[in-house]
Amino acid sequence: MNFAVLASGHGSNLQAIINAARAGRIKADLKVVISDKKDAYALKRALRAKIPAIYINPHDFSDRESFDRALAGHLRKFKIDFVVLAGYMRLLSRYFIRQYPNKILNIHPSLLPAFKGLHGTKDAFDYGVKVTGPTVHFVIDEVDAGMIVLQEPVRIEAKDTLETLERKIHKAEHRIYPKAIDLFARGKLKIIGRKVAIV
Ligand code: GAR
């Protein structure tokens, strides 16, 4: 199976995925990394790992779907079977999601369905919950609402700041995302209604 990573930012999850794939802990080939941000450090990480890195400029397109048609065109060229979002902060169009039904994974930094949206870690921290943590889920046509694959609880201690909490959540993300990707690639995830069974 071939997969692509879409990333907009720092790319620490991308790095964890690259490392896991190199170590044989993901049985699939990462063929291309694509970003909607020219300066995304994720693109540099891809190039350093000798993985093709592509920047698509959103300003070159009149709307979300035409951007996504260009994106899907690149993925077809690389014969991509499934797509991994790793800090990709651009909403996907219905068109794109239909191209890859139940073949797009995302990671979110809170225990969904709590604290959906762009600031999952800060929103959980500010709310005062005692436990939060990342969620890997399938992408459906509703933001942060897809079927849940893996979650890892992270405790918020009295001494935690937003920064220390972010670090703990990232570490947990780097553990569960490669694992979820490998399960998917090996056909071990079975979607039954809203539930995902590991078979
Ligand atoms: C991750 O914490 C991920 O959960 C979050 O962006 C960060 C990207 O970090 N994604 C979302 O908030 C999606 N709504 P990275 O660029 O270092 O992998």
Side-chain angles (χ1 to χ4, degrees):
M1 291 258 253
N2 295 334
F3 71 105
V5 170
L6 310 186
S8 304
H10 187 61
S12 71
N13 279 283
L14 168 67
Q15 192 64 56
I17 293 164
I18 291 172
N19 296 348
R22 289 243 164 109
R25 286 187 284 115
I26 295 178
K27 304 264 182 307
D29 293 325
L30 173 52
K31 292 288 187 190
V32 62
V33 173
I34 300 182
S35 184
D36 60 329
K37 294 273 187 277
K38 193 169 187 218
D39 300 326
Y41 190 61
L43 290 172
K44 294 201 174 72
R45 292 183 192 269
L47 290 174
R48 210 165 57 198
K50 308 219 177 334
I51 296 163
I54 296 173
Y55 161 60
I56 308 177
N57 185 348
H59 299 297
D60 288 346
F61 302 91
S62 56
D63 57 22
R64 194 174 298 286
E65 182 169 324
S66 48
F67 177 95
D68 280 356
R69 282 184 185 274
L71 173 60
H74 285 293
L75 299 184
R76 272 193 295 276
K77 271 188 270 161
F78 285 92
K79 300 196 174 8
I80 294 303
D81 300 301
F82 70 98
V83 178
V84 169
L85 310 182
Y88 185 64
M89 298 316 245
R90 194 180 160 80
L91 286 179
L92 292 170
S93 62
R94 188 168 295 172
Y95 159 81
F96 187 86
I97 294 168
R98 284 197 183 137
Q99 300 298 301
Y100 290 93
N102 294 340
K103 288 177 180 162
I104 308 171
L105 293 171
N106 183 40
I107 191 152
H108 182 81
S110 69
L111 293 174
L112 290 172
F115 308 112
K116 297 177 177 180
L118 288 178
H119 310 289
T121 307
K122 183 175 188 310
D123 292 346
F125 183 76
D126 290 347
Y127 195 91
V129 293
K130 304 292 187 196
V131 183
T132 184
T135 300
V136 178
H137 63 92
F138 283 101
V139 171
I140 61 170
D141 189 18
E142 192 189 332
V143 177
D144 297 334
M147 298 72 78
I148 291 171
V149 178
L150 292 178
Q151 295 184 301
E152 184 175 316
V154 171
R155 297 196 76 81
I156 303 179
E157 315 284 352
K159 62 178 187 314
D160 272 321
T161 62
L162 180 57
E163 290 66 37
T164 62
L165 177 61
E166 277 169 348
R167 275 204 290 278
K168 289 202 277 190
I169 289 177
H170 268 117
K171 276 192 184 160
E173 290 185 332
H174 302 164
R175 279 190 290 271
I176 64 170
Y177 213 5
K179 204 179 284 178
I181 295 166
D182 184 57
L183 287 169
F184 179 81
R186 289 191 294 124
K188 299 274 186 199
L189 299 181
K190 188 167 175 211
I191 299 172
I192 307 156
R194 269 225 46 97
K195 299 193 178 141
V196 180
I198 299 175
V199 293

